[in-house]
């Protein structure tokens, strides 16, 4: 459920932690973490906050989108999955999408299309759907990228989720 200022005040109460502070604590905890499982848990938690428009400005202020992009470069598949999940969840917002593009996130998202983890591929397709605009179209609509997306689109009942996501991308950005 999406949050607004009134709902957040009701949920937080007088002695609760404000959202920006809580997110900052998560980022700090991630930066201090040495255990991979802790990092995975924290990034998954941050990715869950990334779907709510109420949090978008906080995520930008705290450089969480950059943290998600950093996670995509890790060898740990769970960090990649949760990082691209956060990118997917937040990229629906044009300001977030612009920041992801500005931070050279598009090649990282494209790279996720080749992941052996289905969720990672699903998140990458979803993110590309929102990241593909006038400033990133040339990079995203390269023949080699479209070939991968078309293969997912053709998967049909083998993987309906990936097929539907790929077809939605193609309908919006290629087969207009």
């Amino acid at each position: 459920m999406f949050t607004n200022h009134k709902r957040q005040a009701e949920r937080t109460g007088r002695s609760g932690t404000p959202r920006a502070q809580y997110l900052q604590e998560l980022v700090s905890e991630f930066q201090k973490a040495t255990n991979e499982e802790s990092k995975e848990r924290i990034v998954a938690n941050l990715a869950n906050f990334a779907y709510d428009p109420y949090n978008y400005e906080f995520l930008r202020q705290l450089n969480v989108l950059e943290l998600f992009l950093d996670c995509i470069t890790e060898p740990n598949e769970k960090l990649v999955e949760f990082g691209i999940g956060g990118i997917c969840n937040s990229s629906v917002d044009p300001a977030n999408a612009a920041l992801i593009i500005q931070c050279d996130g598009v090649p990282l998202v494209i790279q996720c299309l080749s992941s052996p983890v289905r969720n990672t591929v699903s998140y990458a397709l979803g993110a590309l759907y929102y990241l593909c605009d006038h400033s990133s179209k040339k990079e995203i609509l390269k023949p080699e990228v479209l070939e991968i997306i078309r293969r997912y689109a053709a998967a049909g009942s083998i993987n309906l989720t990936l097929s539907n996501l790929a077809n939605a991308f193609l309908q919006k950005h290629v087969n207009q």
Side-chain angles (χ1 to χ4, degrees):
M1 178 180 229
F2 294 137
T3 306
N4 59 38
H5 293 295
K6 182 181 178 202
R7 180 164 157 58
Q8 186 59 31
E10 290 169 356
R11 293 181 72 216
T12 303
R14 290 185 192 180
S15 60
T17 305
R19 181 64 56 88
Q21 182 182 338
Y22 180 71
L23 292 171
Q24 175 62 67
E25 289 170 5
L26 283 175
V27 170
S28 296
E29 188 179 338
F30 178 85
Q31 291 168 336
K32 293 175 190 169
T34 56
N35 177 316
E36 289 292 306
E37 283 183 32
S38 295
K39 287 182 176 185
E40 292 167 7
R41 179 186 49 78
I42 296 163
V43 174
N45 200 345
L46 287 167
N48 285 334
F49 281 102
Y51 82 91
D52 191 339
Y54 181 80
N55 299 317
Y56 291 163
E57 188 174 334
F58 302 135
L59 297 174
R60 287 190 299 271
Q61 289 171 354
L62 297 170
N63 298 318
V64 174
L65 301 176
E66 290 89 336
L67 185 148
F68 290 148
L69 291 172
D70 287 343
C71 288
I72 294 173
T73 67
E74 293 291 325
N76 178 328
E77 286 290 346
K78 284 289 186 191
L79 283 178
V80 173
E81 177 184 353
F82 299 142
I84 190 64
I87 292 296
C88 180
N89 288 348
S90 59
S91 64
V92 66
D93 176 64
N96 289 342
L99 182 60
I100 293 163
I101 293 166
Q102 177 187 332
C103 291
D104 296 322
V106 170
L108 298 174
V109 174
I110 290 170
Q111 178 182 315
C112 290
L113 292 174
S114 300
S115 173
V117 179
R118 284 186 182 185
N119 282 344
T120 299
V121 175
S122 293
Y123 296 143
L125 286 167
L128 289 173
Y129 182 89
Y130 291 106
L131 292 174
C132 192
D133 68 9
H134 66 280
S135 69
S136 63
K137 240 181 174 129
K138 282 185 181 177
E139 190 170 17
I140 295 173
L141 298 182
K142 288 180 180 176
E144 59 270 21
V145 177
L146 289 177
E147 181 182 329
I148 294 168
I149 294 172
R150 284 188 175 107
R151 274 189 276 153
Y152 287 123
S157 61
I158 295 169
N159 193 321
L160 201 53
T161 300
L162 294 180
S163 178
N164 287 343
L165 285 166
N167 278 307
F169 176 90
L170 293 170
Q171 286 174 1
K172 181 175 182 182
H173 299 293
V174 180
N175 305 333
Q176 302 167 344

